[in-house]
Amino acid sequence: MCGIVGYVGKKNNCTNFLLEGLKKLEYRGYDSAGIAVANDRNLKTVKKKGFLRDLEPLINPERMKGSPGIGHTRWATHGEPSDENAHPHLSCEKRLALVHNGIIENYQELKQELKLKGHHFTSQTDTEVIVHLIEEHYQGDLYDAVKKGVKELRGSFAIAVISADDPDLLVAARYDSPLVVGIGKNEYFIASDIPAILKETRKVIILEDGEIVKAKPDGITITDFDGNLIEKEITEITWDAEAAEKGGYEDFMLKEIHEQPQVILNTMRGRVKEAKIILDEIGLPRELLKRLERMVIVACGTSYYAGLVMRNAVELFAKIPVDVEISSEFRYRPMLIDGRVLVVGITQSGETADTLVSLRQAKRVGFPILAIPNVIGSSAAREADGVLYTHAGPEIGVAATKTMTAQMVAGFLFALYLAGIKKTISDERREKFIKELLKLPRKVEAILDREDEVKQMAKKYKNYNNFLFLGRTYGLPAAYEGALKLKEITYVHAEGYPAGEMKHGPIALIDENVPVVFIATKGEVQDKIISNMEEVKARKGKIIAIATEGDKKVADLADDVIYVPWTFEAYTPLLAVVPLQLFTYYTGKLRGLNVDQPRNLAKSVTVE
Ligand code: AGP
């Protein structure tokens, strides 16, 4: 996620605040940074690919004195990390400067319209469209121009804008992207997140969607997008700086688990319209996709399990066979795949060595490559023929949580997109699945509302040292992922297994000391899962079940049950992993472990 800061007030030089504020937002992850200040009725801007330590030497304290000012750390979503794509972005006349956090879904259309009106663009970003749109409406009243401009935007935005013509004004607006206002004495601070302003003030107004702030040294007004005044209460922040970076959560892992509804929305943003999937952005020719006969997915760890989820969806919707391979194995296999095959690399970092090598080998023998990374401009993104980005934002916790959810959403989107091209399911049936996708954020929220139940369950099982996680068909990837999460965060031995394999050996493990977690949501083979639960119960095994809301049959058999809302079977892993993430998190906390940086693990395994 990008980071925004802004200042207006009694300081006649706000550069220091801008830089210090951006430093407090570095934890959000970024690839570029920049600031702009107003002085002598001009705007001075410095921006650069790289980090704040690369930007600061470029800032001439004399030249960059001024106020108001805005600053930005960019986490690229549209357009590679580069100096031109860094924010702030300037209007044609260089009289307006703007920073933005979010994704503008209709930026191409707006860009075309603005070009026809004579605007020229210097970047590949969606953001730049906003400052030209505001310039188009600008008749000397910046607030009015912003009010008109934001009404034409579709997508998510938190923006801050300054004008060279009005040295005492900062305007900001938010829709579906966080923005707070810090209240000082004759000075006001704007930021994406509270840590950026805590050093200056603890008095904060949290903006809501559809609100615009007009801030001047002698006061602020807040209105809706129609100009109606809104009374806002001032919150006194009691957190310390570190807690503020975690948004009030104790750990990044918990914060990122709770970000998942927003991450699902962000990954679908601009890609689902009137029950259609729009993925032309991936850049693979439709003809190639239409003729596709097979897919091979390569990945590691959690991304491999997201690959299993994608496989099930592609086989269900697009009706072509899909193999999912562990990258570190695939790379040593003879490249015997033939025919019209698409090789897909799922890698949130885009830098996992084994996955990169596998993709390079497949590319060398002539297969088209699709990368599904979370990091714009990562190696996987640069080397692939097509790219489908997940928009999970930077994941600070080493354990993958929100990035896996984003990968699964990307897999569903691609599967439905491919089915539409290959016409392998009826439009009506496809529409049903697309509509259900849009309901997933709220369904994840419903599970997060059950957090306390999961916390109690973790208390009950915190001293067990061996777990089995069992699932079948669509639920199996969630069982694998649940076991991996528990292993990597709590160091407890946990094994994910196809429930149908129990009789072939693992059932020997079952006794009262080995809790068994079943993915037992409603589905075609639930009766088989239920008989597996009975087998475990008969051997005094303890059963934790993930079940569909209202399913009494499973609840009667289990010692503990966490309910998830009903959804199509193909989507159940996305819901089922959420209680397992929470169970892992609370078990790790109860064991006094560092859940954000578990021992021995790296966020990205860039070595073989
Ligand atoms: C997930 O919790 C792990 N940290 C790990 O398995 C991770 O998923 C794996 O290393 C793959 O990383 P990538 O998605 O960046 O390729």
Side-chain angles (χ1 to χ4, degrees), residues 136-165:
E136 190 57 28
H137 290 292
Y138 186 59
Q139 313 279 333
D141 179 335
L142 183 61
Y143 162 77
D144 186 57
V146 171
K147 186 155 61 70
K148 290 182 178 133
V150 293
K151 283 183 172 164
E152 298 184 47
L153 297 175
R154 267 209 327 276
S156 61
F157 52 88
I159 57 174
V161 205
I162 55 174
S163 159
D165 305 326

Short mmCIF file of all heavy atoms in Angstrom, two decimals, residues 136-165:
data_model
loop_
_atom_site.label_atom_id
_atom_site.label_comp_id
_atom_site.label_asym_id
_atom_site.label_seq_id
_atom_site.Cartn_x
_atom_site.Cartn_y
_atom_site.Cartn_z
N GLU A 136 -8.55 19.98 -14.94
CA GLU A 136 -9.62 20.24 -15.92
C GLU A 136 -10.75 21.03 -15.27
O GLU A 136 -11.37 21.87 -15.87
CB GLU A 136 -10.11 18.89 -16.47
CG GLU A 136 -11.03 18.97 -17.66
CD GLU A 136 -10.44 19.72 -18.86
OE1 GLU A 136 -9.19 19.72 -19.00
OE2 GLU A 136 -11.22 20.33 -19.60
N HIS A 137 -11.00 20.74 -13.98
CA HIS A 137 -12.10 21.43 -13.28
C HIS A 137 -11.61 22.69 -12.57
O HIS A 137 -12.40 23.43 -12.00
CB HIS A 137 -12.70 20.49 -12.24
CG HIS A 137 -13.48 19.35 -12.82
ND1 HIS A 137 -14.67 19.51 -13.49
CD2 HIS A 137 -13.20 18.02 -12.86
CE1 HIS A 137 -15.12 18.33 -13.91
NE2 HIS A 137 -14.24 17.40 -13.54
N TYR A 138 -10.31 22.93 -12.54
CA TYR A 138 -9.75 23.99 -11.70
C TYR A 138 -9.95 25.38 -12.32
O TYR A 138 -9.47 25.66 -13.41
CB TYR A 138 -8.26 23.73 -11.51
CG TYR A 138 -7.56 24.66 -10.54
CD1 TYR A 138 -7.97 24.75 -9.21
CD2 TYR A 138 -6.49 25.45 -10.94
CE1 TYR A 138 -7.34 25.60 -8.31
CE2 TYR A 138 -5.83 26.30 -10.05
CZ TYR A 138 -6.27 26.37 -8.74
OH TYR A 138 -5.63 27.22 -7.86
N GLN A 139 -10.71 26.19 -11.55
CA GLN A 139 -10.91 27.59 -11.98
C GLN A 139 -10.41 28.51 -10.88
O GLN A 139 -10.95 29.58 -10.65
CB GLN A 139 -12.41 27.86 -12.19
CG GLN A 139 -13.16 26.80 -12.99
CD GLN A 139 -12.94 27.00 -14.49
OE1 GLN A 139 -12.68 28.13 -14.91
NE2 GLN A 139 -12.99 25.94 -15.26
N GLY A 140 -9.44 28.02 -10.11
CA GLY A 140 -8.90 28.84 -9.03
C GLY A 140 -9.35 28.40 -7.66
O GLY A 140 -8.78 28.78 -6.65
N ASP A 141 -10.40 27.53 -7.60
CA ASP A 141 -10.86 27.02 -6.29
C ASP A 141 -10.51 25.54 -6.23
O ASP A 141 -11.21 24.69 -6.81
CB ASP A 141 -12.38 27.23 -6.18
CG ASP A 141 -12.92 26.68 -4.84
OD1 ASP A 141 -12.26 25.78 -4.27
OD2 ASP A 141 -13.98 27.15 -4.39
N LEU A 142 -9.44 25.23 -5.51
CA LEU A 142 -8.94 23.85 -5.50
C LEU A 142 -9.95 22.89 -4.88
O LEU A 142 -10.19 21.80 -5.41
CB LEU A 142 -7.62 23.79 -4.73
CG LEU A 142 -6.93 22.42 -4.68
CD1 LEU A 142 -6.58 21.94 -6.08
CD2 LEU A 142 -5.66 22.47 -3.81
N TYR A 143 -10.58 23.32 -3.79
CA TYR A 143 -11.55 22.44 -3.11
C TYR A 143 -12.66 22.08 -4.10
O TYR A 143 -13.04 20.93 -4.26
CB TYR A 143 -12.12 23.13 -1.87
CG TYR A 143 -13.40 22.51 -1.39
CD1 TYR A 143 -13.40 21.32 -0.67
CD2 TYR A 143 -14.63 23.09 -1.70
CE1 TYR A 143 -14.58 20.73 -0.24
CE2 TYR A 143 -15.82 22.52 -1.28
CZ TYR A 143 -15.79 21.34 -0.56
OH TYR A 143 -16.97 20.75 -0.17
N ASP A 144 -13.16 23.08 -4.81
CA ASP A 144 -14.28 22.88 -5.74
C ASP A 144 -13.85 21.92 -6.87
O ASP A 144 -14.58 21.01 -7.26
CB ASP A 144 -14.71 24.23 -6.32
CG ASP A 144 -15.95 24.08 -7.18
OD1 ASP A 144 -16.96 23.57 -6.63
OD2 ASP A 144 -15.87 24.34 -8.39
N ALA A 145 -12.62 22.12 -7.35
CA ALA A 145 -12.12 21.27 -8.45
C ALA A 145 -11.97 19.82 -7.98
O ALA A 145 -12.30 18.88 -8.71
CB ALA A 145 -10.77 21.81 -8.93
N VAL A 146 -11.51 19.64 -6.76
CA VAL A 146 -11.36 18.27 -6.22
C VAL A 146 -12.75 17.65 -6.06
O VAL A 146 -12.98 16.51 -6.45
CB VAL A 146 -10.62 18.29 -4.86
CG1 VAL A 146 -10.66 16.91 -4.19
CG2 VAL A 146 -9.17 18.73 -5.06
N LYS A 147 -13.68 18.44 -5.55
CA LYS A 147 -15.05 17.94 -5.34
C LYS A 147 -15.63 17.44 -6.65
O LYS A 147 -16.27 16.39 -6.71
CB LYS A 147 -15.90 19.08 -4.76
CG LYS A 147 -17.30 18.70 -4.34
CD LYS A 147 -17.87 19.64 -3.27
CE LYS A 147 -17.97 21.09 -3.72
NZ LYS A 147 -19.01 21.34 -4.74
N LYS A 148 -15.41 18.21 -7.73
CA LYS A 148 -15.94 17.80 -9.04
C LYS A 148 -15.17 16.59 -9.58
O LYS A 148 -15.74 15.64 -10.08
CB LYS A 148 -15.86 18.97 -10.03
CG LYS A 148 -16.84 20.09 -9.72
CD LYS A 148 -16.79 21.21 -10.72
CE LYS A 148 -17.84 22.30 -10.39
NZ LYS A 148 -17.22 23.64 -10.45
N GLY A 149 -13.87 16.62 -9.42
CA GLY A 149 -13.03 15.55 -9.99
C GLY A 149 -13.31 14.19 -9.37
O GLY A 149 -13.50 13.20 -10.09
N VAL A 150 -13.41 14.13 -8.05
CA VAL A 150 -13.55 12.81 -7.41
C VAL A 150 -14.84 12.11 -7.81
O VAL A 150 -14.93 10.88 -7.80
CB VAL A 150 -13.46 12.90 -5.88
CG1 VAL A 150 -12.06 13.31 -5.44
CG2 VAL A 150 -14.50 13.84 -5.30
N LYS A 151 -15.81 12.90 -8.24
CA LYS A 151 -17.08 12.28 -8.63
C LYS A 151 -16.95 11.45 -9.90
O LYS A 151 -17.78 10.61 -10.19
CB LYS A 151 -18.15 13.37 -8.82
CG LYS A 151 -18.70 13.88 -7.50
CD LYS A 151 -19.79 14.89 -7.73
CE LYS A 151 -20.49 15.29 -6.46
NZ LYS A 151 -21.27 16.53 -6.62
N GLU A 152 -15.90 11.73 -10.67
CA GLU A 152 -15.71 10.99 -11.93
C GLU A 152 -14.83 9.76 -11.75
O GLU A 152 -14.63 8.99 -12.68
CB GLU A 152 -15.10 11.92 -12.98
CG GLU A 152 -15.99 13.12 -13.33
CD GLU A 152 -15.36 13.94 -14.45
OE1 GLU A 152 -14.93 13.35 -15.45
OE2 GLU A 152 -15.29 15.17 -14.29
N LEU A 153 -14.30 9.60 -10.53
CA LEU A 153 -13.37 8.48 -10.31
C LEU A 153 -14.14 7.23 -9.91
O LEU A 153 -15.09 7.30 -9.14
CB LEU A 153 -12.38 8.84 -9.20
CG LEU A 153 -11.44 10.02 -9.46
CD1 LEU A 153 -10.61 10.31 -8.20
CD2 LEU A 153 -10.54 9.75 -10.65
N ARG A 154 -13.69 6.08 -10.41
CA ARG A 154 -14.22 4.80 -9.93
C ARG A 154 -13.03 4.02 -9.38
O ARG A 154 -11.98 3.98 -9.98
CB ARG A 154 -14.88 4.02 -11.07
CG ARG A 154 -16.38 4.25 -11.20
CD ARG A 154 -17.13 3.06 -11.79
NE ARG A 154 -16.39 2.31 -12.75
CZ ARG A 154 -16.29 2.62 -14.05
NH1 ARG A 154 -16.85 3.73 -14.48
NH2 ARG A 154 -15.61 1.86 -14.88
N GLY A 155 -13.21 3.43 -8.21
CA GLY A 155 -12.10 2.68 -7.62
C GLY A 155 -11.85 3.18 -6.22
O GLY A 155 -12.77 3.67 -5.55
N SER A 156 -10.61 3.05 -5.76
CA SER A 156 -10.31 3.46 -4.38
C SER A 156 -9.28 4.58 -4.42
O SER A 156 -8.36 4.57 -5.26
CB SER A 156 -9.73 2.26 -3.61
OG SER A 156 -8.54 1.82 -4.21
N PHE A 157 -9.46 5.57 -3.56
CA PHE A 157 -8.48 6.66 -3.55
C PHE A 157 -8.46 7.37 -2.20
O PHE A 157 -9.48 7.56 -1.58
CB PHE A 157 -8.75 7.67 -4.67
CG PHE A 157 -10.15 8.21 -4.71
CD1 PHE A 157 -10.52 9.33 -3.98
CD2 PHE A 157 -11.13 7.59 -5.50
CE1 PHE A 157 -11.82 9.83 -4.02
CE2 PHE A 157 -12.44 8.08 -5.55
CZ PHE A 157 -12.79 9.20 -4.80
N ALA A 158 -7.24 7.65 -1.78
CA ALA A 158 -6.98 8.63 -0.72
C ALA A 158 -6.01 9.58 -1.38
O ALA A 158 -4.94 9.16 -1.84
CB ALA A 158 -6.36 7.95 0.50
N ILE A 159 -6.45 10.88 -1.48
CA ILE A 159 -5.58 11.83 -2.21
C ILE A 159 -5.32 13.06 -1.35
O ILE A 159 -6.10 13.40 -0.47
CB ILE A 159 -6.22 12.28 -3.54
CG1 ILE A 159 -7.61 12.90 -3.31
CG2 ILE A 159 -6.30 11.14 -4.54
CD1 ILE A 159 -8.23 13.50 -4.58
N ALA A 160 -4.18 13.69 -1.61
CA ALA A 160 -3.89 15.00 -1.03
C ALA A 160 -3.37 15.87 -2.16
O ALA A 160 -2.58 15.40 -3.00
CB ALA A 160 -2.86 14.90 0.09
N VAL A 161 -3.88 17.12 -2.23
CA VAL A 161 -3.57 17.99 -3.37
C VAL A 161 -3.18 19.38 -2.86
O VAL A 161 -3.79 19.86 -1.89
CB VAL A 161 -4.80 18.19 -4.28
CG1 VAL A 161 -4.36 18.54 -5.70
CG2 VAL A 161 -5.67 16.96 -4.32
N ILE A 162 -2.18 20.00 -3.48
CA ILE A 162 -1.84 21.40 -3.17
C ILE A 162 -1.75 22.17 -4.48
O ILE A 162 -1.56 21.58 -5.55
CB ILE A 162 -0.50 21.52 -2.40
CG1 ILE A 162 0.64 20.85 -3.15
CG2 ILE A 162 -0.63 21.00 -0.98
CD1 ILE A 162 2.01 21.07 -2.49
N SER A 163 -1.90 23.49 -4.37
CA SER A 163 -1.84 24.35 -5.55
C SER A 163 -0.81 25.46 -5.31
O SER A 163 -0.75 26.03 -4.21
CB SER A 163 -3.22 25.00 -5.80
OG SER A 163 -3.05 26.15 -6.60
N ALA A 164 -0.07 25.79 -6.35
CA ALA A 164 0.93 26.87 -6.24
C ALA A 164 0.21 28.21 -6.05
O ALA A 164 0.77 29.15 -5.51
CB ALA A 164 1.79 26.89 -7.49
N ASP A 165 -1.06 28.23 -6.50
CA ASP A 165 -1.79 29.51 -6.44
C ASP A 165 -2.38 29.78 -5.07
O ASP A 165 -2.87 30.86 -4.80
CB ASP A 165 -2.95 29.49 -7.47
CG ASP A 165 -2.41 29.18 -8.85
OD1 ASP A 165 -1.26 29.61 -9.12
OD2 ASP A 165 -3.08 28.46 -9.62
#
